[in-house]
Amino acid sequence: MTRPDNPQPSFRPPLLRRYSAAHLAARGLTQRRWPRSWRDHDLDSRYDVVIIGAGLHGLATAYYLAANHGITNVAVVDKGYMGGGGSGRNTAILRSNYLTPEGVRFYDRSLRLYEDLAAELNYNVMFSRQGHLTLAHNDGALRTMRWRAEVNKVQGIDSEVIDPRQIKELVPHLDTSTDTRYPILGGLYHPPGGTIRHDAVVWGYARAADHLGVQVHQNTEVTGIDVTDGKVTGVETTRGDIATGTVINCTAGWSTIISEMAGVEMPVTTSPLQAAVTEPVKPFLHTVVVSGTLHVYVSQTDRGELVFGASVDPFTSFSTRGSLAFAEGLAGNVLKLMPALSGMRLLRQWAGLCDMTPDYSPIMGPTGVDGFLVDVGWGTYGFKAGPVAGEAMADTVASGRVPEIIADFGLDRFSSGRLVGEKGAAAVGH
Amino acid sequence: MMQLSCPWCGPRNVNEFHHDGPLHHRPDPTATTVEEWRHYLYIRENPHGVVEERWYHAAGCRKFLVVTRDTRTNTVIPAEGESR
């Protein structure tokens, strides 16, 4: 199917040192060191916009503020290092086959931005459009998939329900026999989905934002937000106080803590999600495979490792320690899908913090405090939405009004009752 | 595996339990305001630190219990007089 071209930002980044094949060859021959991709700065006493969280969402917002709107007096502050939170702990899967029309439109815009991101940022983000396959093991799951496929098609998204024979052709290693505990009855196939190199996306946005004049401050923890007469006036950090009229909370895992500093209550609870990666093997899996019933998703990276993700842990916690119970359960479920993997070994496992909302949709836009905006509640689906969230939040700050694409995701939906229920398509096993 | 101490069954693996969350009070639906009710429905405490919360021993004695836990480390803090 045809997809209309992306509207390009009006202001292209004037990158000082563009990466190119010629540049790579010259550096290789001369053995000269590569220049740093972004700079360190002293903290100024005043910025137009302060973004809390130097992950994908914070850096993308900063980049689009500078690139699309010319707002460059921006500080991105992070208590740790760039991309060390959810941006470095996700499983880097991209897709747009959601359940609600507003969700599908939103994530599709993000996928389109991702398609052109490498060229726009002059940074290889290694987008691999390998297709995304969600498996149904019971009638209820298959019914939800038909529903999702129809919602997707109405929104112009390539998405269809396929049968076990087609699934076997796509992924020969899947056990499609009918005498298993969880036989595969069908699947939702979404060819535009795929994977991306998550660190490269973060670094690409950071480099481009830095070149446009945005300051990224790592190891700068926010300790307080000053609010006077219902309006933000500044931010207190471990490296000094900043005067500003606009603060954007782009954190994950800490979104309730930061929001409480501004006196804003959030309908968010935090739970860890565990993931794991195997030793590398030759390429054999050319599709992202997801099973909601078995609480697992599997993809193969360009390096050959298999990346496994799971559902969120069943209780709230800020601990990012992995558990043996998870590794055991995950391995068992993966082997139910692909018995041929029984000889593979796990290299490592980790956990990231997921800010869950009651309707499994994010919260974006203004709050009750003037000048305090949020881009939080990203649960298990934040990475795929980074570019569109950044674009829309930048638009919100620059224009002073909420763009249509995120209008349904405001904090006020919990008091007006207009929830965006994505539980049936948000991730696995909720 | 993380274990919780059930007052009836003793220390048991956490996957036997269902997490209910911090103790909260359900307002009387006939006497509450709309704002209070929505607050009860959607706003959750998300404590970063020690919290008293309710768990349900679903795969055991099926009784509710109150556990004091540090959400930063998942350390369970024994109640007074408890041996572990």
Side-chain angles (χ1 to χ4, degrees):
Chain A
M1 61 182 291
T2 56
R3 297 160 73 84
D5 287 333
N6 290 338
Q8 291 297 323
S10 51
F11 182 58
R12 304 287 293 180
L15 297 177
L16 300 175
R17 298 176 189 84
R18 289 191 69 83
Y19 294 144
S20 65
H23 201 163
L24 181 66
R27 291 271 168 187
L29 289 171
T30 59
Q31 294 290 304
R32 278 172 55 216
R33 289 173 70 92
W34 288 90
R36 287 193 62 181
S37 293
W38 49 81
R39 295 159 289 183
D40 290 329
H41 305 270
D42 291 329
L43 198 66
D44 290 346
S45 60
R46 171 159 202 94
Y47 292 95
D48 290 342
V49 180
V50 174
I51 296 170
I52 304 172
L56 168 61
H57 282 252
L59 293 167
T61 303
Y63 167 74
Y64 289 112
L65 271 174
N68 291 0
H69 305 286
I71 300 173
T72 57
N73 187 18
V74 176
V76 185
V77 296
D78 196 297
K79 73 170 184 170
Y81 60 94
M82 186 185 289
S87 304
R89 296 163 188 270
N90 64 87
T91 50
I93 295 170
L94 308 182
R95 65 184 174 94
S96 62
N97 57 349
Y98 276 74
L99 184 59
T100 63
E102 45 274 54
V104 173
R105 275 195 297 273
F106 176 76
Y107 291 104
D108 185 53
R109 173 68 187 151
S110 207
L111 207 49
R112 290 178 192 212
L113 287 168
Y114 265 127
E115 283 167 14
D116 292 342
L117 200 61
E120 179 170 350
L121 300 179
N122 179 228
Y123 208 97
N124 184 4
V125 292
M126 298 166 75
F127 181 21
S128 162
R129 176 177 261 189
Q130 46 189 286
H132 185 281
L133 176 66
T134 314
L135 301 173
H137 302 278
N138 55 55
D139 290 342
L142 203 55
R143 197 159 51 233
T144 309
M145 274 176 196
R146 291 218 182 276
W147 175 7
R148 274 169 73 180
E150 296 311 316
V151 172
N152 294 168
K153 285 177 200 165
V154 168
Q155 298 298 328
I157 311 293
D158 193 357
S159 174
E160 60 175 330
V161 175
I162 61 175
D163 62 32
R165 190 183 47 81
Q166 293 166 296
I167 290 173
K168 189 74 179 174
E169 277 170 28
L170 263 179
V171 189
H173 286 77
L174 277 177
D175 180 3
T176 52
S177 56
T178 52
D179 54 354
T180 57
R181 172 72 180 81
Y182 297 105
I184 294 170
L185 303 183
L188 183 67
Y189 184 48
H190 176 51
T195 60
I196 202 162
R197 173 90 175 95
H198 53 86
D199 286 332
V201 177
V202 171
W203 297 334
Y205 272 120
R207 174 171 171 270
D210 178 88
H211 280 297
L212 292 171
V214 170
Q215 294 187 2
V216 182
H217 296 280
Q218 306 183 70
N219 298 312
T220 308
E221 182 174 352
V222 171
T223 54
I225 296 172
D226 303 326
V227 178
T228 312
D229 297 333
K231 189 171 175 10
V232 166
T233 54
V235 174
E236 298 160 21
T237 78
T238 49
R239 285 175 59 209
D241 295 351
I242 306 168
T244 183
T246 305
V247 173
I248 312 175
N249 178 3
C250 287
T251 58
W254 322 103
S255 67
T256 46
I257 297 171
I258 297 290
S259 295
E260 270 168 27
M261 290 178 186
V264 175
E265 282 185 320
M266 303 297 291
V268 166
T269 58
T270 304
S271 292
L273 184 146
Q274 298 189 47
V277 67
T278 67
E279 60 191 343
V281 291
K282 283 185 179 175
F284 72 94
L285 182 63
H286 307 291
T287 309
V288 181
V289 176
V290 181
S291 167
T293 304
L294 292 173
H295 298 221
V296 69
Y297 34 98
V298 186
S299 64
Q300 188 170 25
T301 68
D302 291 341
R303 266 195 303 224
E305 300 152 334
L306 291 181
V307 181
F308 302 134
S311 51
V312 289
D313 285 358
F315 53 91
T316 63
S317 173
F318 291 85
S319 167
T320 49
R321 185 178 291 183
S323 66
L324 179 64
F326 158 77
E328 277 184 338
L330 176 90
N333 288 337
V334 168
L335 292 183
K336 282 186 190 117
L337 288 178
M338 294 189 229
L341 302 186
S342 61
M344 288 192 70
R345 288 167 293 190
L346 283 188
L347 272 188
R348 59 183 181 275
Q349 69 182 102
W350 67 92
L353 298 181
C354 300
D355 282 347
M356 309 305 297
T357 58
D359 57 358
Y360 294 79
S361 283
I363 304 170
M364 286 175 280
T367 62
V369 175
D370 197 9
F372 182 71
L373 293 87
V374 291
D375 172 25
V376 300
W378 282 106
T380 60
Y381 24 88
F383 195 83
K384 64 177 71 69
V388 67
E391 184 188 54
M393 290 307 293
D395 196 2
T396 307
V397 169
S399 68
R401 52 172 188 79
V402 178
E404 199 191 332
I405 195 160
I406 62 166
D408 295 311
F409 297 105
L411 180 59
D412 57 353
R413 73 176 185 269
F414 298 101
S415 48
S416 62
R418 287 177 292 110
L419 271 62
V420 187
E422 282 288 8
K423 194 173 182 177
V428 296
H430 289 312
Chain B
M1 184 182 285
M2 177 184 164
Q3 292 193 322
L4 298 181
S5 186
C6 174
W8 292 275
C9 312
R12 309 291 298 184
N13 286 345
V14 70
N15 59 3
E16 291 185 7
F17 295 85
H18 175 79
H19 181 247
D20 188 49
L23 303 177
H24 56 267
H25 167 71
R26 179 178 185 264
D28 176 5
T30 57
T32 186
T33 64
V34 172
E35 286 71 28
E36 270 178 6
W37 186 252
R38 284 173 183 156
H39 194 276
Y40 162 73
L41 282 183
Y42 296 124
I43 302 290
R44 289 282 173 271
E45 275 180 71
N46 193 27
H48 182 251
V50 177
V51 58
E52 263 199 339
E53 56 191 2
R54 191 184 286 117
W55 290 71
Y56 173 56
H57 197 179
C61 60
R62 293 203 252 163
K63 285 190 168 133
F64 286 89
L65 58 149
V66 174
V67 173
T68 309
R69 177 175 66 108
D70 190 331
T71 60
R72 293 166 296 189
T73 58
N74 286 337
T75 314
V76 177
I77 293 146
E80 221 160 291
E82 210 174 317
S83 57
R84 66 182 284 279

